[in-house]
Amino acid sequence: MTELSQRSGVPIPTIRYYIREGLLPSGQFTSPNQATYDDSHVRRLALIRAMVEVGEMSIAAVGKLFRHLETKGGDEFVTLGLVQYSLTRELSPSDDSDAVTRVRDLLDQLGWRVNDHNPARSVLATTVETLDRLGYDDLLGLLDRYAAAAHELAEAEVDLMLAREGLDNRAGAVVVTGVLGDAMLSALRRLAQEDVTARTLRPTKTTKTRSTSPRRKAAK
């Protein structure tokens, strides 16, 4: 376990905690106090860290995801769907809100084949409801453009996922895409927003700036 900790960068107490919670398989015991681990443990630890630290998933959510993988049946589509669903925390829009209907109508209009139980439906409905309550109808007007961009990106992501051999590798790709792909997309979107804002409000100035700390500025 010491070597596993060194290779993965995860402290031994944390590794033991992951094993107790069922997130990491136990090693192959060679004696009552010693076990061997392989590269699969290193990869699993890297995946757990990505989900917890980057994706900000709870230990309970990560455990639920891995249980889906361990109890997978013969239907690959269902298994990959369960893995994806476990990455999303379901929300509850108001009962009297028409946001749920609006999301359903949007998906029907787009012709997307989406399960009624996909938790992303509730997330989108709650978001639509919140924007409507805040009076941001102009942003709701971009729903079609959001959908078009999301579907184009999804086509490329699914191609990459299906290029991997084996259900476990494909499920891992779903997790990585859902967690790190979301983080990457969010970061790029914010960088793009700054670029567009700078080009719009400061069209004659360069957008590349060097930050100056208060201490350095004071020294000058």
Side-chain angles (χ1 to χ4, degrees):
M1 185 172 289
T2 300
E3 183 180 350
L4 177 62
S5 175
Q6 292 172 344
R7 289 186 58 187
S8 65
V10 179
I12 291 177
T14 303
I15 294 177
R16 289 175 174 158
Y17 172 62
Y18 290 160
I19 292 175
R20 287 197 306 271
E21 294 297 315
L23 275 61
L24 184 71
S26 300
Q28 184 69 38
F29 283 96
T30 56
S31 69
N33 297 319
Q34 190 161 355
T36 58
Y37 302 87
D38 56 28
D39 289 340
S40 66
H41 291 87
V42 178
R43 290 194 297 270
R44 173 63 70 88
L45 284 172
L47 188 56
I48 294 171
R49 292 185 70 179
M51 289 187 285
V52 173
E53 297 176 11
V54 181
E56 298 182 346
M57 293 176 63
S58 67
I59 294 298
V62 174
K64 180 180 179 181
L65 186 151
F66 287 134
R67 283 193 293 275
H68 281 319
L69 291 179
E70 292 167 2
T71 59
K72 56 182 178 290
D75 193 322
E76 182 177 26
F77 175 76
V78 172
T79 299
L80 294 176
L82 290 173
V83 171
Q84 191 214 48
Y85 293 0
S86 68
L87 299 175
T88 305
R89 183 171 62 89
E90 190 165 5
L91 301 178
S92 300
S94 301
D95 294 335
D96 59 348
S97 171
D98 65 350
V100 174
T101 301
R102 182 167 184 172
V103 169
R104 184 182 65 243
D105 291 345
L106 172 66
L107 295 175
D108 289 343
Q109 175 189 340
L110 294 169
W112 289 7
R113 297 168 55 186
V114 179
N115 194 296
D116 290 341
H117 301 293
N118 190 323
R121 281 178 174 267
S122 69
V123 174
L124 181 56
T126 303
T127 303
V128 168
E129 179 185 61
T130 302
L131 287 170
D132 186 58
R133 186 171 62 248
L134 294 174
Y136 278 83
D137 294 338
D138 50 351
L139 186 55
L140 287 175
L142 296 179
L143 264 178
D144 287 343
R145 295 181 65 179
Y146 275 106
H151 203 273
E152 180 181 355
L153 184 57
E155 289 177 339
E157 292 171 335
V158 171
D159 283 345
L160 289 177
M161 181 266 290
L162 294 179
R164 296 178 177 272
E165 294 292 335
L167 182 54
D168 285 344
N169 288 329
R170 289 180 174 182
V174 171
V175 174
V176 171
T177 301
V179 176
L180 299 184
D182 279 1
M184 186 164 57
L185 177 60
S186 179
L188 283 169
R189 183 163 165 263
R190 282 159 176 73
L191 292 169
Q193 287 171 342
E194 180 181 351
D195 173 66
V196 173
T197 304
R199 292 175 187 274
T200 303
L201 299 183
R202 295 181 176 179
T204 60
K205 295 184 178 181
T206 178
T207 57
K208 187 176 181 181
T209 59
R210 178 176 297 179
S211 60
T212 304
S213 66
R215 182 177 300 176
R216 179 180 295 179
K217 189 179 293 185
K220 292 181 178 180

